[in-house]
Every structure is written in C-alpha cells, then in structure tokens.
C-alpha cells in the first residue's frame, strides 16, 4: 500500500529518503576532496537554533569545529572509503584542515568579491574561493601565508587591526561546501577548485596586497 502525502508515514519516508540523498551527496563530496583534490576531510559539528551538536552548553564555535571523537578521512581516500567513514558520523559537516595544502585569507564578502573580479580581469593566478553564509570570502593560497601576513602589512604601513582581513593557518579549519556553517546555511564555491589550483594554490603576496588595498579603502 502506498503512502499519502501529508500523512505520518509519507512524511517519515520522505525524510528518510532526503537524509539518504544528503548522506550520499556528502560522501561524494568527501571522496572528491580526498581523492581528486588531495585534501583531508574532518567530520565537524552542526548547529541548530544556535545549539551545537557537540553538546557543550557554552561551545565557542557552534557548528563550526571538528568532532573530537571522529577520525579524519585522509587525502587519497576513495569513494568507498569515504562512504564507509562518513557512515560512522551521520549528519557531520565537512571540515578542511588549514595549513597543510593551503592557507586561507578570510575577508568580508563585498571586499572579497571586488578583489576576485579585479584579479580575474588582470589575469593574476587565483586558487579556489568560497563564500560563507555569515558574509565572508575565503581565498585558498599557498601554505605560509598566515606567517607572512603581519610582516607584509607592516611593510605596507597598515595595521591589521584596521583591516577586516585575517589569515588562517596550521591548526585552523574551514567548513567546506556543501556543508552548513553554524546553522546559518551552506558554504558555496565562488571559484571551485581545479586540478592545478587544488594541488598548488597561488602564493599569497599579490592577493594580500589587493585585499589589503580594497579593505583599507
């Protein structure tokens, strides 16, 4: 006997089907990151109505931090391996560890979008770029940018406290598309990865100068 849309059984089956499709999409994304782009993926917490799935009353980063008990899916994992690993953490978000294959330049979305357009017009090298639901653009750059940023801004005569610009490095994590960040909505690609930019993102110097100039204005 079939189910009636709107009935309890129908809603249950729809939810189960939707969750299975979501899990399959997540496992595919994990396999793409690990197998195609060569990035490790770490299962992360989720947030609903401001409460983090980690269960801590005063979580400092609800829905935006690794799950302490979950294992990292290493770079190079296949689709089968990614699917098995993600089956153990249903509902986890996808986090990428920073400071290994890339660092991240994090800037307010309006400035980030302007910088992206300017650099594309100039034909300058660019790596992947995401946009987060809380209004940030995140530029993937070669590792080492986090250490270089303060020194470069100092030489340029700008105080990083005056700029809405920060660099994420070793020990940091970012939420990867298509996962939700902090219960606010999904992270999206503004500039998706490619085989060359994922393996060797560009040096940060030119992008740092462009972003700092736009932020300073």
């Amino acid at each position: 006997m079939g189910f009636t849309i709107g009935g309890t059984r129908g809603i249950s089956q729809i939810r189960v089907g939707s969750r299975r499709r979501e899990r399959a999409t997540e496992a595919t994304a994990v396999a793409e990151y690990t197998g195609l782009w060569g990035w490790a993926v770490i299962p992360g917490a989720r947030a609903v109505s401001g409460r983090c799935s980690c269960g801590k009353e005063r979580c400092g980063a609800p829905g935006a931090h690794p799950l302490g008990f979950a294992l990292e899916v290493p770079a190079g994992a296949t689709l089968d391996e990614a699917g098995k690993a993600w089956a153990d953490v249903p509902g986890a978000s996808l986090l990428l560890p920073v400071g290994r294959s890339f660092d991240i330049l994090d800037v307010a979305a309006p400035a980030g979008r302007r910088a992206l357009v300017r650099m594309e017009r100039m034909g300058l090298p660019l790596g992947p770029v995401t946009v987060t639901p809380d209004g940030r653009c995140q530029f993937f750059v070669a590792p080492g940018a986090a250490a270089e940023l303060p020194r470069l801004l100092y030489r340029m005569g700008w105080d990083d406290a005056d700029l809405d610009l920060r660099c994420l490095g070793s020990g940091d994590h970012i939420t990867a598309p298509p996962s939700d960040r902090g219960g606010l909505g999904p992270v999206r690609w503004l500039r998706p990865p490619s085989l060359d930019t994922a393996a060797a993102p560009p040096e940060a110097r030119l992008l740092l100068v462009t972003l700092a100039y736009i932020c300073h204005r």
Side-chain angles (χ1 to χ4, degrees):
M1 180 177 174
F3 61 85
T4 302
I5 294 177
T8 303
R9 184 181 176 189
I11 292 173
S12 176
Q13 289 188 5
I14 290 171
R15 285 175 178 167
V16 170
S18 298
R19 188 64 200 139
R20 283 175 179 166
R21 287 193 295 273
E22 184 178 345
R23 270 188 237 158
T25 300
E26 290 170 346
T28 300
V30 172
E32 180 180 324
Y33 291 143
T34 59
L36 190 57
W37 309 133
W39 301 333
V41 179
I42 298 176
R46 297 245 191 191
V48 179
S49 300
R51 295 183 62 84
C52 187
S53 63
C54 70
K56 293 181 180 179
E57 286 288 334
R58 298 181 180 178
C59 178
H65 67 83
L67 292 171
F69 61 85
L71 298 177
E72 174 182 303
V73 184
T78 65
L79 178 58
D80 285 344
E81 291 168 339
K84 290 176 182 176
W86 226 248
D88 293 334
V89 285
S93 62
L94 281 66
L95 300 184
L96 303 178
V98 184
R100 300 181 190 178
S101 301
F102 56 82
D103 278 4
I104 291 289
L105 294 181
D106 180 282
V107 65
R113 290 178 185 273
R114 290 199 300 272
L116 181 59
V117 170
R118 174 173 293 191
M119 295 190 73
E120 286 178 335
R121 286 176 178 172
M122 295 172 65
L124 298 176
L126 281 165
V129 184
T130 66
V131 61
T132 70
D134 52 343
R136 309 295 295 180
C137 279
Q138 297 182 322
F139 290 77
F140 289 52
V141 293
E148 183 181 3
L149 178 61
R151 184 170 61 253
L152 177 60
L153 292 179
Y154 176 79
R155 288 204 302 266
M156 295 167 69
W158 291 338
D159 184 350
D160 57 353
D162 295 332
L163 302 175
D164 189 7
L165 168 65
R166 65 190 181 119
C167 196
L168 308 180
S170 180
D172 294 315
H173 303 83
I174 61 166
T175 304
S179 285
D180 173 278
R181 176 175 172 79
L184 301 175
V187 177
R188 297 182 292 106
W189 289 113
L190 278 184
R191 183 183 175 90
S194 61
L195 289 175
D196 54 343
T197 62
E203 294 296 326
R205 184 173 297 273
L206 286 175
L207 182 54
L208 277 171
V209 172
T210 304
L211 285 174
Y213 174 73
I214 290 175
C215 289
H216 194 260
R217 292 178 60 193

